[in-house]
Amino acid sequence: SLDDITIGDISAYEYADDEKTPTPTVTANTGLTIASTDYTYAYDNNVNASETAKVIIRATESGNYSGEIYKLFTISKRPVTFTGNSHDNETYDGTKHSYSDITVSNKELVNGHTHNVTYTVEGTEVNTYTGTITAKEAVVIKKGDVDVTNNYDITTTPGTMVINKTSADWTVTLENDIYGYDGTNHYI
């Protein structure tokens, strides 16, 4: 019976939207390796992130064993970080500066998967601004119309924007009088 065998260790996998098909060694409790003609591998729950992915060892009809046993293995969540890009060298010019560019890092999304993450950082005056980015709890990742968010370990990080003082020369024209900026008050 297969109850008298041991299934070897199975390394953890990382989610990649594909079937994980480990082929661990199968040994008798006596320590002898069992011939691969005595069993076949089958799998269950072996695509999505889970600690209950299963490899099933089934005895072949022509082999020396009967029955089936299984061993659980882990498919870990794929880490992904969405970061709002920082723009730390803007110069004050009196207009609103606005950015919405995002970098996806740590691991990329699996090819064909999409996300709903949005990011905005904006400001006009000399200051440091922190952007707003979709909260990780609100992130949705899809494969077509199927929500696959639970297969990802998500982090979101807003970027910043720094608007620095201008070094431009300013000239103020008052009616017909022209004054170069000298730090003193001028009156009409």
Side-chain angles (χ1 to χ4, degrees), residues 77-174:
K77 291 183 176 195
R78 184 181 188 92
V80 63
T81 301
F82 298 94
T83 304
N85 291 338
S86 290
H87 298 273
D88 294 335
N89 200 21
E90 299 299 306
T91 301
Y92 174 78
D93 61 7
T95 63
K96 181 163 82 171
H97 297 248
S98 180
Y99 295 96
S100 60
D101 47 331
I102 298 171
T103 299
V104 180
S105 61
N106 199 341
K107 296 281 179 129
E108 295 288 328
L109 293 179
V110 172
N111 191 27
H113 291 192
T114 59
H115 65 82
N116 68 332
V117 178
T118 59
Y119 164 71
T120 303
V121 62
E122 56 186 28
T124 303
E125 302 300 322
V126 172
N127 205 344
T128 299
Y129 299 89
T130 299
T132 56
I133 193 165
T134 305
K136 74 178 191 172
E137 299 80 15
V139 172
V140 176
I141 300 173
K142 289 192 170 189
K143 175 184 177 182
D145 292 332
V146 178
D147 187 336
V148 294
T149 308
N150 287 333
N151 291 305
Y152 289 89
D153 182 13
I154 299 167
T155 303
T156 60
T157 306
T160 59
M161 179 176 62
V162 177
I163 298 179
N164 300 297
K165 292 180 182 180
T166 184
S167 61
D169 292 329
W170 290 79
T171 300
V172 178
T173 303
L174 302 172

Side-chain angles (χ1 to χ4, degrees), residues 1 6 8 15 17 24 26 46-47 51 60 64 72 100 102 104 113 116-117 123 128 135 152 159 161 182 184-185:
S1 156
T6 301
Y15 174 74
D17 195 29
V26 179
N46 63 328
V47 175
E51 293 182 2
T60 59
N64 296 315
L72 299 178
S100 60
I102 298 171
V104 180
H113 291 192
N116 68 332
V117 178
T128 299
Y152 289 89
M161 179 176 62
D182 61 7
T184 61
N185 292 331

Side-chain angles (χ1 to χ4, degrees), residues 1-7 24-28 30 32-42 56-69:
S1 156
L2 286 177
D3 293 334
D4 298 326
I5 69 163
T6 301
I7 301 172
T25 58
V26 179
T27 56
T30 61
L32 297 175
T33 300
I34 296 177
S36 61
T37 55
D38 284 339
Y39 61 90
T40 60
Y41 294 106
I56 304 161
I57 309 298
R58 291 189 176 131
T60 59
E61 288 185 26
S62 60
N64 296 315
Y65 295 88
S66 62
E68 72 178 38
I69 60 171

